[in-house]
């Protein structure tokens, strides 16, 4: 089950926030995915099903046109055990703390980071802000991305361990067995 590229996949859960309409005091949003949205999330994410998906976000303006989004995503998903192939359910709980900035600022920071790659000493890893695209931050997309990142790609039923079948090797069955047989024949054995 490969996960689609975040840029090319459809957005199954949308909850856009227009940045210009965020009050100075910020806003709080609670989201709950509908049945149709959960089915779309499962399809896009390669999951058997999404039984529930909720998110709560605080969206707060910061200086320089930046927006801080903090919150929590919670979901219950259905997958298939990679060992037994039985259906299983998993709980997902993810905390988020992201900073968004205007697209021009994000591009400028990306250029600065790229220029810094030429230095002999690698710079300290910095998480650049996410881009505010067309003046909108999509909280549903943020929640979906967090959910997809938290999914176990190799889910197993509790207590199940994959045990490879071990077969004893015949000492006469190896790549040089034919040569040994020729040598034995030559020696008259």
């Amino acid at each position: 089950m490969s996960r689609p590229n975040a840029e090319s996949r459809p957005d199954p859960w949308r909850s856009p926030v227009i940045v210009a309409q965020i009050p100075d005091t910020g806003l709080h949003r609670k989201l709950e995915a509908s049945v149709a949205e959960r089915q779309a999330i499962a399809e896009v994410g390669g999951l058997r099903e999404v039984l529930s998906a909720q998110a709560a976000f605080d969206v707060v303006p910061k200086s320089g046109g930046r927006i801080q989004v903090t919150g929590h995503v919670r979901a219950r998903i259905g997958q298939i055990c990679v060992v037994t192939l039985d259906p299983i359910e998993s709980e997902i709980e993810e905390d988020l703390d992201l900073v968004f900035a205007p697209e021009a600022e994000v591009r400028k920071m990306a250029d600065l980071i790229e220029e810094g790659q030429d230095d002999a000493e690698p710079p300290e890893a910095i998480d650049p802000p996410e881009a505010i695209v067309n003046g909108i931050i999509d909280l549903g997309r943020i929640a979906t991305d967090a959910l997809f990142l938290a999914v176990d790609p190799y889910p197993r039923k509790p207590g199940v361990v994959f045990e490879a079948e071990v077969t004893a090797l015949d000492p006469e069955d190896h790549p040089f067995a034919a040569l040994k047989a020729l040598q034995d024949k030559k020696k008259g054995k």
Side-chain angles (χ1 to χ4, degrees):
M1 284 186 276
S2 64
R3 286 183 186 76
N5 179 330
E7 298 305 315
S8 67
R9 71 170 165 76
D11 289 326
W13 190 9
R14 299 201 34 104
S15 181
V17 171
I18 299 170
V19 172
Q21 294 178 353
I22 299 172
D24 291 342
T25 56
L27 57 92
H28 181 77
R29 289 278 168 91
K30 286 187 177 187
L31 311 175
E32 183 154 356
S34 69
V35 172
E37 289 167 331
R38 292 193 320 262
Q39 287 173 339
I41 292 168
E43 186 178 310
V44 170
L47 302 169
R48 185 173 51 84
E49 65 184 326
V50 177
L51 300 148
S52 66
Q54 301 96 24
F57 293 108
D58 289 312
V59 183
V60 180
K62 298 291 182 184
S63 63
R66 292 177 180 229
I67 305 291
Q68 183 172 21
V69 177
T70 56
H72 186 79
V73 176
R74 168 187 234 145
R76 183 155 187 82
I77 61 170
Q79 293 180 278
I80 301 295
C81 174
V82 295
V83 178
T84 66
L85 301 180
D86 291 335
I88 59 172
E89 292 181 4
S90 307
E91 292 284 337
I92 291 179
E93 300 257 351
E94 284 294 307
D95 289 321
L96 298 167
D97 188 353
L98 301 170
V99 174
F100 287 79
E103 281 184 282
E105 183 181 334
V106 172
R107 278 195 298 275
K108 193 186 310 180
M109 285 189 73
D111 291 343
L112 288 172
I113 290 171
E114 199 171 294
E115 285 175 16
Q117 298 297 326
D118 299 336
D119 297 343
E121 253 182 68
E124 223 176 273
I126 309 167
D127 274 345
E130 302 290 325
I132 299 171
V133 180
N134 298 324
I136 294 173
I137 296 174
D138 191 342
L139 299 179
R141 172 112 187 220
I142 294 169
T144 304
D145 288 348
L147 187 152
F148 287 159
L149 288 172
V151 169
D152 182 353
Y154 304 105
R156 292 187 211 169
K157 285 175 81 169
V160 172
V161 178
F162 177 75
E163 293 181 19
E165 187 176 312
V166 178
T167 55
L169 297 176
D170 180 1
E172 296 299 318
D173 186 25
H174 55 82
F176 299 106
L179 287 174
K180 185 175 182 324
L182 284 173
Q183 279 183 337
D184 290 347
K185 188 176 180 183
K186 200 174 187 183
K187 290 180 183 176
K189 290 185 181 180

